[in-house]
Amino acid sequence: VWSPAELSECAKYPFTDRAREVVRTVNFSIDKVDPKVLERAKQRVLAGIEDGIVRPEVQSSSETILLNEILSFPVAKIVVSLTGDRLVARRYADAEANAARKFLAYEKPQVIKEVAAQLGIGSSMDFVAYLNSLPRDERFRLCHVSLAGGNVTVSPEMLPDLIAETVRLRLEQQLAQKPEAPATYQKVAAEVKAEASSEKLLGFKEVDYGTVDASAFPPCMKTIVAEMQAGVKEGHQGRFVLSTFAINIGMPIEQIVEFYRPTPNFNEKKTRYYVEYSAGLRGSGVKYSCPGCEKMVSLGLCRNKDSLCSTIRHPLSYYAKKKKTAPAQPKAAKGAG
Ligand code: SF4
């Protein structure tokens, strides 16, 4: 028998051993999932990928509500895995990690320590394990932590971020596996995927590029930008075509560099050089042009085509056509780029 306080804690931290124990004690079975739990899991995933954070109901005094919250976590993981979409998985893992970080910000040090211990994080950490769960924040770089005998000393202030990063990394690994699951899960996964393919859920944010109209970007470029905004490590080809596309529509170098900022291991100096190189301002002086649609298809970068795509043969033509037909963007009309 679990007290409401214990269930509430498990709903906040569903990745802990204690929460897994709750799931075991209620005899949860993947084959006999309660439709309410499945629906809650779907909402958990959609809210996570849309808002960047999950918001489980943890204040309730109802045992049923708290239990459904706890169960929605393993079910949501199955649903996300079944989508087979790495962007959805990445955004969902981030959203769970962000929720953990937010809850931990209000906890007493003892609770934070207990949650950390359940993830195997103590007052010191093996150097390699530390590197593997290194939060992206500058404070955690090796030059700022104390290292002795192959171990990194973990201070209490570091715990919330280390916990969140560990949750994120473990989830990413788990979500990369495709489990066997009943058709009901497959259906929910397909629904999630259908909604997640919209630009909103992909996280494409329109930014004021002066005279450049981001809403007129072709779907292929929006997809690359969205992946970068979600922190996905984009391949060389993807980075190159986005950069050449952006240069060719007249986007300033400074703003192109900003596309790359959320990506892992972002290095501003190298990125600026790379973008300037593509623009012909460095190296050979050649201004590279953006590949046409046929080439984009062969590179596997023609993604999320829409009806306008069937009328053009080049992403730049798409942009020009869309910009001409789209109503004037209030943001775009404001200033020079
Ligand atoms: S058809 Fe061309 S413009 Fe449309 S998504 Fe594919 S590559 Fe981009």
Side-chain angles (χ1 to χ4, degrees), residues 218-221 292-293 296 301-306 309 312 314-315 318:
C220 47
M221 299 301 164
C293 297
M296 289 287 282
L301 290 170
C302 169
R303 293 178 288 172
N304 300 317
K305 276 171 80 164
D306 64 16
C309 287
I312 50 89
H314 201 289
Y318 181 110

